[in-house]
Amino acid sequence: MSSYCFPVPPIAEQEKIVSELDCLSGIIEKQKRQLKELDNLAQAIFYDMFGDPISNNLGWTSISFAKGCNEIGDGLHGTPDYDTEGEIAFINGNNLVDGKIVLTNKTLFVNKSEAAKYQSKMGDNTVLLSINGTLGKTAIYRGEDVILGKSACYCNVKKELLNTVFVERLMRTDYFKTFLEDSSSKSTIKNVGLKAIRNYRIITPPLLLQQEFASKIEAIEKQKELIKQSISETETLFNCRMDYYFN
């Protein structure tokens, strides 16, 4: 019966390895905290500029969300014919992540002719919101080749009244999430109807103020992208060192 002896480096070498890996892990954790702090900063800026969107303590004019949008709808209530060579992604609410549409290795695709049957009218004024299952996930539509499933609601805001970044960030507030929870069905899978979304009373601060807010958010998002890139590079380095020491 053969046995394998795992080589054990001297204690000093072990301590050096542990110290290096701990250092890299610490850098990654610090960078992730920075991302969280930037998210908190963005929300703090929202409340500082616009106050509480529910109590409307700053006295902004409010309207039904339906009046602030050209159209509010959801995606396909069914299953399209998938195509392994298709170019159009079929997405649902779980593809809405931190203001962006994110595809995964589980995302399925359809061809252009199939997509044409179910294409929602979306443009540079569209904000997406998850209304089925996990509630309150958001994204701003940026021209991606996608069609929507029923758990993704699209809101085509009126540009003369609302800024997409303002609306998307409002949808991230705890107050809006509470509204979604209170409006949802009490079944196993939570669902918010389009009627509730259309009836939501949204504050309408001056458009210039909304645009000023959007510029601040854009600057924060650029910082976040740099940090995410740094996290990816540090994680790659960590994995390389792990492979070097233990494989």
Side-chain angles (χ1 to χ4, degrees):
M1 182 176 180
S2 62
S3 61
Y4 176 77
C5 296
F6 183 80
V8 180
I11 292 296
E13 182 67 17
Q14 294 180 42
E15 291 175 344
K16 178 183 176 182
I17 293 171
V18 170
S19 177
E20 179 182 354
L21 296 178
D22 281 349
C23 179
L24 291 173
S25 295
I27 291 172
I28 293 170
E29 288 305 312
K30 181 179 179 180
Q31 292 168 330
K32 289 181 178 180
R33 286 197 299 272
Q34 289 174 330
L35 287 179
K36 182 63 177 176
E37 288 166 0
L38 286 172
D39 283 335
N40 291 339
L41 174 61
Q43 188 161 95
I45 291 173
F46 181 94
Y47 288 124
D48 182 61
M49 294 182 68
F50 306 115
D52 174 358
I54 299 299
S55 66
N56 191 14
N57 56 309
L58 296 184
W60 306 117
T61 299
S62 68
I63 58 175
S64 69
F65 197 32
K67 289 186 177 179
C69 293
N70 294 313
E71 186 175 358
I72 297 174
D74 59 5
L76 172 64
H77 287 235
T79 304
D81 290 330
Y82 299 119
D83 186 340
T84 55
E85 297 182 0
E87 302 172 354
I88 314 298
F90 180 64
I91 67 166
N92 270 293
N94 56 8
N95 294 106
L96 313 180
V97 181
D98 294 334
K100 297 179 181 179
I101 294 173
V102 176
L103 307 184
T104 71
N105 56 7
K106 294 182 179 179
T107 301
L108 299 173
F109 292 79
V110 301
N111 58 41
K112 291 182 179 179
S113 61
E114 182 70 5
K117 302 176 187 176
Y118 311 111
Q119 195 73 57
S120 302
K121 295 179 180 179
M122 300 187 294
D124 60 1
N125 63 329
T126 301
V127 179
L128 300 172
L129 172 70
S130 64
I131 57 172
N132 182 272
T134 302
L135 305 178
K137 301 182 74 173
T138 60
I140 294 174
Y141 178 70
R142 296 177 174 86
E144 295 91 342
D145 287 331
V146 299
I147 59 172
L148 307 180
K150 67 177 182 179
S151 67
C153 165
Y154 65 93
C155 309
N156 296 337
V157 303
K158 294 180 179 177
K159 291 183 177 181
E160 66 273 19
L161 289 176
L162 296 168
N163 177 279
T164 54
V165 174
F166 167 76
V167 172
E168 190 269 331
R169 288 289 168 163
L170 184 149
M171 289 177 172
R172 291 201 205 188
T173 63
D174 291 337
Y175 294 98
F176 188 80
K177 291 177 181 178
T178 298
F179 155 74
L180 292 177
E181 288 290 336
D182 291 345
S183 303
S184 67
S185 61
K186 306 309 176 187
S187 57
T188 304
I189 299 177
K190 294 180 180 179
N191 180 74
V192 177
L194 293 178
K195 181 179 180 181
I197 302 298
R198 294 181 178 120
N199 288 339
Y200 175 76
R201 300 294 299 183
I202 187 169
I203 57 173
T204 57
L207 194 57
L208 285 177
L209 190 64
Q210 296 181 46
Q211 292 166 344
E212 179 185 340
F213 169 74
S215 296
K216 294 177 185 292
I217 296 302
E218 182 180 356
I220 289 174
E221 287 300 318
K222 286 181 178 178
Q223 292 182 56
K224 286 178 62 178
E225 287 304 313
L226 292 174
I227 293 172
K228 288 177 182 178
Q229 181 180 345
S230 182
I231 290 174
S232 178
E233 292 170 353
T234 308
E235 288 177 337
T236 298
L237 177 58
F238 179 88
N239 292 333
C240 287
R241 300 309 289 166
M242 286 284 289
D243 185 65
Y244 174 78
Y245 287 127
F246 301 110
N247 294 324

